[in-house]
Amino acid sequence: DAKTTQPNSMESNEEEPVHLPCNHSTISGTDYIHWYRQLPSQGPEYVIHGLTSNVNNRMASLAIAEDRKSSTLILHRATLRDAAVYYCILRRGPLGTGFQKLVFGTGTRLLVSP
Amino acid sequence: ETGVTQSPTHLIKTRGQQVTLRCSSQSGHNTVSWYQQALGQGPQFIFQYYREEENGRGNFPPRFSGLQFPNYSSELNVNALELDDSALYLCASTQGRGPRSTDTQYFGPGTRLTVL
């Protein structure tokens, strides 16, 4: 399984942007980059995913390096509710292939201060 | 749209016992995955079911088994419980395969299992 590397923890102040980095130097051409987060006492929650181009949704933006060996999850204005563990995951294979599993690392714990 | 639900919320068992955990998938989802999350770790993939058949398995022993029912709900069974089985067990559903397949997995809140 392709591996990702993330910092153990990061801190931010409320209403400031947050950039969460992820290295995935062994990524292959068909690996999608997924981000999930896990709030305290909850199951993981999907945030965003992409393949090559930068992606935006209502929760966050995903910036993917040109060589795809790294990516950055961007929270544009952190709120207290964004305090969670953020997981960067590589998912192999195209959509609709049936078998899907997420290989989680230990993630980045984001602390948000008022 | 009903989300993924799991029962029970918490469970305490003793070593050697057997346990069954239940999961109801999100409406319209035909694929269910189970994950084990030890304290301070990320979730680890146990297995996945698609249309009542096991569709892939992680590195877990055979005493971890599962079922998926025609309504796509699922059970995780663990026999001969060991102390290291104490963890949060997460169920995730998705729409796998076909034109409406999606890459997003929707997780339930989990069942906290404690083995004494």
Side-chain angles (χ1 to χ4, degrees), chain B:
Chain B
E1 191 175 78
T2 307
V4 178
T5 60
Q6 293 186 243
S7 63
T9 307
H10 296 88
L11 202 52
I12 299 174
K13 291 284 189 178
T14 56
R15 197 169 46 180
Q17 284 189 312
Q18 177 265 342
V19 69
T20 297
L21 310 181
R22 294 177 175 83
C23 170
S24 290
S25 60
Q26 185 161 315
S27 176
H29 286 180
N30 55 20
T31 303
V32 173
S33 302
W34 286 90
Y35 293 80
Q36 180 196 64
Q37 186 173 24
L39 207 58
Q41 303 294 315
Q44 301 297 307
F45 175 76
I46 302 175
F47 44 54
Q48 182 181 90
Y49 278 83
Y50 169 73
R51 293 195 171 185
E52 302 177 59
E53 303 238 343
E54 189 178 288
N55 190 36
R57 190 177 183 92
N59 191 24
F60 280 80
R63 60 190 184 84
F64 285 78
S65 63
L67 281 173
Q68 188 180 30
F69 300 100
N71 66 354
Y72 303 136
S73 65
S74 178
E75 286 182 356
L76 165 65
N77 299 291
V78 187
N79 293 323
L81 283 168
E82 301 176 359
L83 297 180
D84 285 349
D85 295 334
S86 294
L88 181 69
Y89 287 86
L90 295 159
C91 165
S93 76
T94 189
Q95 180 63 17
R97 305 193 191 178
R100 294 179 63 190
S101 65
T102 174
D103 221 11
T104 301
Q105 294 202 19
Y106 295 84
F107 284 81
T111 294
R112 172 73 62 191
L113 173 64
T114 302
V115 182
L116 303 176

Side-chain angles (χ1 to χ4, degrees), chain A residues 34-86:
Chain A
H34 285 243
W35 284 81
Y36 281 72
R37 71 180 186 182
Q38 189 170 20
L39 280 65
S41 303
Q42 294 189 27
E45 169 186 44
Y46 169 80
V47 177
I48 200 166
H49 78 280
L51 184 61
T52 56
S53 306
N54 294 344
V55 184
N56 300 295
N57 66 19
R58 63 174 180 82
M59 289 180 71
S61 295
L62 176 59
I64 301 172
E66 202 168 323
D67 64 4
R68 301 210 325 125
K69 294 185 185 302
S70 66
S71 61
T72 302
L73 179 70
I74 302 165
L75 306 179
H76 295 285
R77 289 182 66 193
T79 69
L80 296 178
R81 195 193 173 276
D82 291 324
V85 178
Y86 286 78

